Each structure stands twice: as structure tokens, then as C-alpha cells.
Amino acid sequence: MSEDKNEQLRPSKMRGVAFPKAKYGVILAIILIILVNFIYYKETIFSFFK
């Protein structure tokens, strides 16, 4: 009975999809935040080196 409950947690079309680990999502989010902030504050960052 408990096996039936575990199988029906996801919709039938998504059962075969392998989801990545959560830690990879966190790493990707941190990299994206750093990249966007670098692009947005590029002039400010380079002004410190002058």
C-alpha cells in the first residue's frame, strides 16, 4: 500500500524524468546571481581598480 502512495507523488508523464540534485540548483543560482551582479555593477567594480 505504501508503494502505491510513493509512485503517485509525481504525475505519470514526469515519472521517468530524472531530476538533478538540489545542490546543483543552489550552485547554479549562486553563479547566476554573481554573474548578473557583475554585469550590473561592472563600472563600479572597475572604478575601484583605477
Side-chain angles (χ1 to χ4, degrees):
M1 195 69 151
S2 64
E3 290 180 19
D4 291 336
K5 281 186 176 180
N6 287 339
E7 282 188 26
Q8 295 181 5
L9 291 176
R10 288 190 272 172
S12 61
K13 291 183 179 180
M14 295 178 69
R15 284 185 190 156
V17 177
F19 289 100
K21 301 281 185 189
K23 65 178 180 179
Y24 298 126
V26 171
I27 292 170
L28 182 65
I30 291 172
I31 290 172
L32 281 174
I33 290 170
I34 291 172
L35 195 68
V36 168
N37 280 328
F38 179 75
I39 292 169
Y40 192 72
Y41 295 111
K42 184 170 38 174
E43 294 176 8
T44 308
I45 292 170
F46 286 138
S47 70
F48 286 121
F49 296 117
K50 289 183 179 181

